[in-house]
Amino acid sequence: MIFKRLAIGWPSLLSLLLVLAGGGITAGCATYTETSRSLQERLVAGEPEQALQILEKRAGGREDRVLYLLNKGMLLRLAGDFAASNQVLEEAKELIDRLVVISISEQTAALSVNDAKRSYIGDPYERILLHLYKTLNYLALADYVAARVEILQADLALGQLSEQERKLGAEGIMRYLSGLVFEQTGERSDALIAYRKAFAAYHSTGGVAAIPRSLQLDLLRLARRQGLDDEVRRYRDLFGVESLPDDRTRQGRGEVTVILGTGLAPVRQEQSINVLAGSNARWYRVATPFYPPRRAAPEVEIRVVANDEEVMAVLGEDLDNLARRALEAAMPGITGRALARLVVKGSAIREVEKNDQLLGIMANIAAVASERADTRSWVTLPARLHFARLYLPPGRYEIRVEWLGSGGRVLMSRVYQGVEVQPEGVVYIQDHWIGPWAVERG
Amino acid sequence: MIRTIFYHTGLLLAVLLIAACSTKVERIEPDQVRDLSGNWNDTDSRLVSEEMVQDLLAQPWLGQHIRTQGGQPAVIVGEIRNLSHEHINMRTFVADIQRALINSGRVDFVASRDERDEIREERRDQDLHAREDTRKAMGRELGADYMLQGTINTIIDVEGRQQVRYYQVDLTLISLADNRIVWIGQKKIKKFVTRPGVRS
């Protein structure tokens, strides 16, 4: 009887196996959303080491390897192990390099099972942030030569993005950081070029208002130093700067650069449409990813205080907003593939049904079960990145960073003691405050 | 039509599953050229160091030094800065240069700053613990006459799947006595890399 049932010819059997295999693999495990949430919950609790353990347990398959490495790199960084973080992120980078090439088998799987069967290579902005975080790690390790290598690689990577991708490529903050590194290595003209590119990138996304105040002052400072009077005049008019930042106040002073992450990146969730239709009552399902609307997360401001000097940190990049815009831009492709899958799976089921009604129903169940949204994204990133630069006379300082809520209420305060400022030297303080409001439960 | 597509998809997946199962290792000679990604590799490091040291030893500064100072010069390798797009292992490159210079037998070679610190530590230790007739005294080190410094720069041009990778290695030999640059060497490498269009 069974043999008779199975005597349905190779093509039909293969179709069935294909659909069943996909269903079998995906039906048991949910989408990536659950893993993302578990990681974020540990981070909110201030336990990056535990988050690492969860990540190791749920490393996923070969197609999730890059995402695993990205999250691991970020968690190691949060745990303070910058060297290990860079090792892991470098591995991710090399793997992405190999995986960006289109894979025939994965495309086939994406069109016959679901999008999550494709190797994760990250959105363009995530690939740029990979360079950004490697650079920050090298700065934390005081390896400025390697940081310089990394910003050159980021420049290459940005150059390979299309116009549209660049607008969603976190270019502003990457260029700004490149300028900081060039200043660190004493290459002022390269720094000015990087600041100009940062200016153009921020400007293209939100006009003059999107250009961080400190970048405006950096542009003015360096343009003046190079004797570019026309450029200085243009920036002064554009930014409405009355008195020029006096470079002489920097002489003999050292710098403290504070780079702060706040909150956590949003988590993609699945939305689906399930329809029972047709003369033979077949189930149809289309699943796509979405970001739930941002909860009322307080718009924080950050104040950095050193003795009697204080400065407000500027917003370098709103990664939460960037993630949402990137998904929005990718939606036509995602929906197109989902609809194509509907056709492919439908044909496969019809093929099976022709020979056996029961197997047809099984194939239908498998096809519906395997239709899952690709909810993978780099969720250990912060929601926002802030920068602050302070120029201080040489000495030993206690630097206080305060996250301010509405009405200037201090939500969180962290103190960094014994910060040694050398003449003409730069000290980097990097931190990430996740805050209590981060994890969204759908 | 659909039948054929599924038939072939199934076959393709089966083949891929089988093909992905084994790791193959093949031993090759260290001097055998095998370019994989187009990045700076051991072959570049070896070829550049050998050629540059050959050029260094063929130039007139060496003869002049022997004539005026009456002995072969002592050289030290200073910092060779990596200004390229790649995380290049500068230690192997510096080691290749040192090896080529020492093996030429035409210059004396002085240990680098890190190595010197360890050796001085050992001398201090000998002062306390070693037998007098085997003890090595402090203050009898050979001072270097010249320092070798340099940079590795890259220009990379990418268009789609193709890229041109251009490396330029600049080395200068500077006299420690009077900051005179006695030799400048330059070596360029250009690679044309084509990446595959599809993968399995």
Side-chain angles (χ1 to χ4, degrees):
Chain A
M1 188 61 191
I2 289 171
F3 280 112
K4 198 182 165 195
R5 273 195 190 285
L6 287 177
I8 51 174
W10 270 104
S12 308
L13 189 61
L14 274 170
S15 310
L16 176 65
L17 282 177
L18 202 64
V19 178
L20 279 178
I25 293 162
T26 21
C29 52
T31 60
Y32 204 80
T33 310
E34 206 37 54
T35 306
S36 299
R37 282 184 183 145
S38 305
L39 292 177
Q40 291 201 342
E41 273 168 355
R42 289 301 96 219
L43 287 178
V44 170
E47 301 166 344
E49 287 87 359
Q50 270 77 353
L52 258 172
Q53 284 175 10
I54 291 176
L55 184 69
E56 294 298 342
K57 269 188 227 146
R58 302 190 197 168
R62 214 169 50 151
E63 66 276 9
D64 298 334
R65 178 81 187 157
V66 166
L67 187 56
Y68 160 77
L69 292 169
L70 290 176
N71 279 323
K72 187 173 177 180
M74 203 63 194
L75 291 175
L76 284 168
R77 180 183 146 79
L78 287 169
D81 194 344
F82 299 106
S85 167
N86 264 357
Q87 223 168 0
V88 170
L89 291 178
E90 181 65 27
E91 195 186 331
K93 198 201 305 170
E94 285 167 10
L95 192 55
I96 290 170
D97 251 3
R98 288 206 296 276
L99 292 175
V100 280
V101 178
I102 289 173
S103 155
I104 302 160
S105 60
E106 283 179 11
Q107 290 299 327
T108 315
L111 287 179
S112 55
V113 185
N114 63 44
D115 264 5
K117 290 283 140 220
R118 295 192 304 174
S119 285
Y120 190 81
I121 54 164
D123 268 314
Y125 80 90
E126 290 175 331
R127 299 205 289 272
I128 299 301
L129 289 174
L130 168 55
H131 292 292
L132 184 111
Y133 275 102
K134 278 204 75 192
T135 310
L136 290 178
N137 283 343
Y138 282 125
L139 290 180
L141 293 165
D143 187 347
Y144 305 120
V145 172
R148 189 183 183 282
V149 169
E150 212 52 52
I151 59 168
L152 293 185
Q153 288 188 2
D155 180 55
L156 266 186
L158 282 166
Q160 287 173 64
L161 297 182
S162 68
E163 185 104 350
Q164 188 56 32
E165 285 173 329
R166 267 172 95 143
K167 283 196 174 154
L168 299 168
E171 184 178 6
I173 192 161
M174 190 65 235
R175 298 286 191 198
Y176 193 13
L177 182 64
S178 305
L180 292 181
V181 173
F182 279 129
E183 277 205 80
Q184 170 81 57
T185 54
E187 296 159 277
R188 294 212 183 89
S189 61
D190 287 296
L192 179 57
I193 293 166
Y195 289 148
R196 282 189 198 133
K197 286 182 176 171
F199 165 84
Y202 282 122
H203 196 270
S204 75
T205 56
V208 178
I211 300 164
R213 187 65 179 172
S214 67
L215 173 61
Q216 299 177 1
L217 299 177
D218 288 332
L219 274 166
L220 272 166
R221 180 169 53 80
L222 281 188
R224 196 162 77 141
R225 199 168 193 143
Q226 311 276 48
L228 303 168
D229 295 338
D230 285 349
E231 200 168 330
V232 171
R233 208 168 306 124
R234 215 174 53 243
Y235 290 143
R236 275 184 81 163
D237 293 345
L238 198 61
F239 305 145
V241 174
E242 294 288 315
S243 62
L244 280 176
D246 191 0
D247 212 19
R248 267 172 300 183
T249 60
R250 277 201 67 197
Q251 281 173 5
R253 292 190 168 211
E255 184 185 335
V256 176
T257 300
V258 187
I259 301 154
L260 301 161
T262 303
L264 285 169
V267 174
R268 286 184 185 187
Q269 296 182 15
E270 180 183 82
Q271 58 188 356
S272 61
I273 307 167
N274 301 287
V275 182
L276 187 66
S279 55
N280 43 3
R282 202 182 291 153
W283 276 103
Y284 295 92
R285 174 181 159 90
V286 174
T288 49
F290 80 107
Y291 283 118
R294 189 191 270 192
R295 276 227 208 120
E299 290 285 336
V300 288
E301 292 209 300
I302 303 176
R303 182 165 61 205
V304 183
V305 188
N307 292 5
D308 50 353
E309 297 205 31
E310 66 170 59
V311 64
M312 295 305 288
V314 293
L315 179 66
E317 189 68 65
D318 187 339
L319 298 177
D320 180 287
N321 184 269
L322 191 58
R324 289 165 197 277
R325 282 189 294 135
L327 179 60
E328 205 175 297
M331 270 326 272
I334 293 172
T335 317
R337 280 194 302 278
L339 294 177
R341 268 197 304 277
L342 207 59
V343 175
V344 171
K345 286 177 179 175
S347 311
I349 295 164
R350 251 197 316 280
E351 199 63 40
V352 179
E353 258 176 1
K354 265 190 219 158
N355 295 289
D356 192 303
Q357 199 72 32
L358 185 63
L359 283 180
I361 294 169
M362 281 168 64
N364 190 192
I365 293 169
V368 166
S370 69
E371 178 60 27
R372 303 307 303 254
D374 185 359
T375 58
R376 297 173 295 176
S377 69
W378 191 0
V379 292
T380 43
L381 286 174
R384 295 185 197 89
L385 261 174
H386 286 83
F387 270 78
R389 302 181 83 171
L390 276 99
Y391 303 105
L392 302 168
R396 210 176 158 82
Y397 288 87
E398 181 186 283
I399 310 275
R400 197 168 73 247
V401 176
E402 294 171 338
W403 280 265
L404 309 175
S406 56
R409 194 164 52 92
V410 178
L411 299 171
M412 174 70 184
S413 168
R414 282 191 184 155
V415 177
Y416 309 89
Q417 285 181 335
V419 177
E420 203 74 54
V421 177
Q422 310 275 358
E424 307 279 322
V426 186
V427 183
Y428 294 91
I429 294 178
Q430 300 187 32
D431 210 339
H432 188 167
W433 180 51
I434 289 158
W437 60 76
V439 182
E440 287 163 341
R441 280 275 164 195
Chain B
M1 178 62 190
I2 301 250
R3 271 167 189 260
T4 336
I5 291 173
F6 274 98
Y7 185 65
H8 285 112
T9 314
L11 272 184
L12 183 69
L13 285 177
V15 169
L16 287 173
L17 281 175
I18 295 163
C21 288
S22 60
T23 306
K24 212 174 114 219
V25 178
E26 172 200 358
R27 291 196 185 280
I28 56 173
E29 289 299 314
D31 56 355
Q32 194 177 332
V33 179
R34 183 81 50 107
D35 287 318
L36 295 175
S37 60
N39 287 349
W40 176 273
N41 61 17
D42 61 314
T43 308
D44 298 313
S45 176
R46 187 167 43 80
L47 291 181
V48 168
S49 56
E50 279 171 8
E51 281 181 37
M52 292 191 86
V53 168
Q54 243 172 34
D55 180 56
L56 174 75
L57 296 172
Q59 299 304 322
W61 71 275
L62 186 59
Q64 276 167 12
H65 180 92
I66 295 170
R67 255 199 320 281
T68 55
Q69 307 294 321
Q72 52 186 32
V75 176
I76 185 170
V77 175
E79 190 186 12
I80 298 182
R81 288 187 76 194
N82 175 17
L83 301 179
S84 76
H85 290 73
E86 282 172 44
H87 294 288
I88 292 174
N89 187 340
M90 298 303 288
R91 283 164 190 247
T92 62
F93 181 60
V94 170
D96 278 340
I97 290 179
Q98 287 184 333
R99 186 184 51 85
L101 271 174
I102 294 171
N103 290 353
S104 74
R106 298 175 64 192
V107 294
D108 288 327
F109 216 82
V110 181
S112 72
R113 191 170 300 163
D114 291 347
E115 291 164 335
R116 281 200 305 263
D117 285 345
E118 196 182 353
I119 291 177
R120 283 172 193 160
E121 184 60 35
E122 176 61 22
R123 274 199 214 105
R124 262 191 291 279
D125 191 71
Q126 282 192 1
D127 253 357
L128 277 178
H129 305 291
R131 228 174 47 218
E132 201 171 351
D133 57 323
T134 60
R135 202 176 286 163
K136 307 294 177 295
M138 296 269 191
R140 300 187 59 186
E141 293 176 9
L142 175 65
D145 300 307
Y146 300 94
M147 184 181 263
L148 192 65
Q149 293 180 326
T151 54
I152 298 184
N153 273 284
T154 47
I155 301 172
I156 297 181
D157 192 17
V158 189
E159 179 58 52
R161 293 191 289 118
Q162 297 181 323
Q163 49 175 267
V164 174
R165 306 179 75 93
Y166 173 85
Y167 296 84
Q168 182 171 315
V169 183
D170 292 286
L171 294 180
T172 44
L173 190 68
I174 301 168
S175 162
L176 285 171
D178 52 10
N179 291 347
R180 241 176 341 119
I181 296 176
V182 295
W183 171 81
I184 293 182
Q186 194 174 70
K187 169 84 182 144
K188 296 166 183 170
I189 298 174
K190 205 167 178 177
K191 298 179 184 178
F192 181 66
V193 184
T194 307
R195 301 219 179 253
V198 289
R199 64 187 161 90
S200 60

